[in-house]
Amino acid sequence: MPFVSRSVDGAIDGLFKQPQEGRAEEFLPNGDPDVIAFEIAPLRVSSVSARQFRLMLRRAGLIDPAKAWVAQQDDETQDAF
Protein backbone atom coordinates (compact mmCIF):
# COMPACT_ATOMS: atom_id res chain seq x y z
CA MET A 1 0.00 0.00 0.00
CA PRO A 2 1.90 3.02 -1.27
CA PHE A 3 2.19 6.63 -0.44
CA VAL A 4 2.03 8.61 -3.66
CA SER A 5 3.51 11.84 -4.92
CA ARG A 6 1.75 13.76 -7.65
CA SER A 7 2.85 16.15 -10.37
CA VAL A 8 1.29 19.59 -10.75
CA ASP A 9 -1.36 18.14 -13.08
CA GLY A 10 -2.44 15.67 -10.38
CA ALA A 11 -0.98 12.54 -11.99
CA ILE A 12 0.98 10.12 -9.81
CA ASP A 13 4.71 10.55 -10.38
CA GLY A 14 6.10 8.36 -7.59
CA LEU A 15 5.27 5.52 -5.19
CA PHE A 16 6.84 5.09 -1.76
CA LYS A 17 6.49 2.47 1.00
CA GLN A 18 6.83 5.14 3.68
CA PRO A 19 5.41 8.66 3.75
CA GLN A 20 7.72 11.34 2.38
CA GLU A 21 7.14 14.52 4.35
CA GLY A 22 6.12 17.35 2.06
CA ARG A 23 6.22 15.13 -1.01
CA ALA A 24 4.30 11.85 -0.67
CA GLU A 25 1.85 11.91 2.19
CA GLU A 26 -1.24 10.63 0.35
CA PHE A 27 -1.89 6.94 1.01
CA LEU A 28 -3.64 4.77 -1.60
CA PRO A 29 -4.38 1.03 -1.62
CA ASN A 30 -2.45 -1.20 -4.05
CA GLY A 31 -5.63 -1.86 -6.04
CA ASP A 32 -6.38 1.81 -6.66
CA PRO A 33 -6.79 2.36 -10.44
CA ASP A 34 -4.34 5.29 -10.40
CA VAL A 35 -1.67 3.19 -8.66
CA ILE A 36 -2.17 0.31 -11.11
CA ALA A 37 -1.98 2.67 -14.10
CA PHE A 38 1.28 4.16 -12.79
CA GLU A 39 2.81 0.73 -12.16
CA ILE A 40 2.04 -0.63 -15.65
CA ALA A 41 2.85 2.55 -17.59
CA PRO A 42 5.91 2.25 -19.84
CA LEU A 43 9.02 3.93 -18.51
CA ARG A 44 9.87 7.29 -19.99
CA VAL A 45 13.34 7.58 -21.44
CA SER A 46 14.96 10.86 -20.51
CA SER A 47 18.31 10.26 -22.21
CA VAL A 48 20.31 7.70 -24.14
CA SER A 49 24.01 7.28 -24.70
CA ALA A 50 25.63 8.12 -28.03
CA ARG A 51 26.12 4.39 -28.59
CA GLN A 52 22.44 3.63 -27.94
CA PHE A 53 21.45 6.44 -30.31
CA ARG A 54 23.68 5.14 -33.11
CA LEU A 55 22.52 1.55 -32.61
CA MET A 56 18.89 2.64 -32.94
CA LEU A 57 19.75 4.59 -36.10
CA ARG A 58 21.43 1.47 -37.50
CA ARG A 59 18.52 -0.82 -36.59
CA ALA A 60 16.09 1.63 -38.18
CA GLY A 61 18.18 1.72 -41.37
CA LEU A 62 18.98 5.40 -40.85
CA ILE A 63 22.66 5.35 -39.93
CA ASP A 64 23.95 6.11 -43.45
CA PRO A 65 21.57 9.05 -44.07
CA ALA A 66 22.41 10.40 -40.60
CA LYS A 67 26.15 10.14 -41.23
CA ALA A 68 25.70 11.86 -44.62
CA TRP A 69 23.80 14.70 -42.96
CA VAL A 70 26.39 15.04 -40.17
CA ALA A 71 29.21 15.16 -42.75
CA GLN A 72 27.64 18.34 -44.18
CA GLN A 73 27.50 20.09 -40.80
CA ASP A 74 30.05 22.24 -38.99
CA ASP A 75 32.98 20.73 -37.08
CA GLU A 76 31.32 21.02 -33.65
CA THR A 77 28.22 19.16 -34.85
CA GLN A 78 30.42 16.47 -36.37
CA ASP A 79 32.35 16.17 -33.10
CA ALA A 80 29.12 15.86 -31.12
CA PHE A 81 27.91 13.02 -33.34
Side-chain angles (χ1 to χ4, degrees):
M1 296 189 186
F3 290 87
V4 300
S5 63
R6 294 187 182 268
S7 61
V8 291
D9 66 359
I12 293 175
D13 64 4
L15 300 177
F16 303 87
K17 290 185 185 237
Q18 301 294 324
Q20 307 296 307
E21 188 176 332
R23 178 159 187 232
E25 298 174 342
E26 178 185 0
F27 180 79
L28 293 176
N30 287 328
D32 185 277
D34 289 341
V35 171
I36 293 170
F38 179 80
E39 288 177 328
I40 65 172
L43 295 176
R44 293 181 182 170
V45 177
S46 60
S47 67
V48 297
S49 69
R51 180 178 182 274
Q52 290 169 317
F53 177 68
R54 289 190 195 97
L55 284 173
M56 288 298 104
L57 285 174
R58 182 172 303 286
R59 290 176 186 169
L62 298 172
I63 191 72
D64 291 333
K67 284 182 176 180
W69 180 84
V70 169
Q72 297 173 12
Q73 305 308 308
D74 60 73
D75 289 343
E76 288 183 7
T77 301
Q78 291 179 30
D79 290 344
F81 182 76

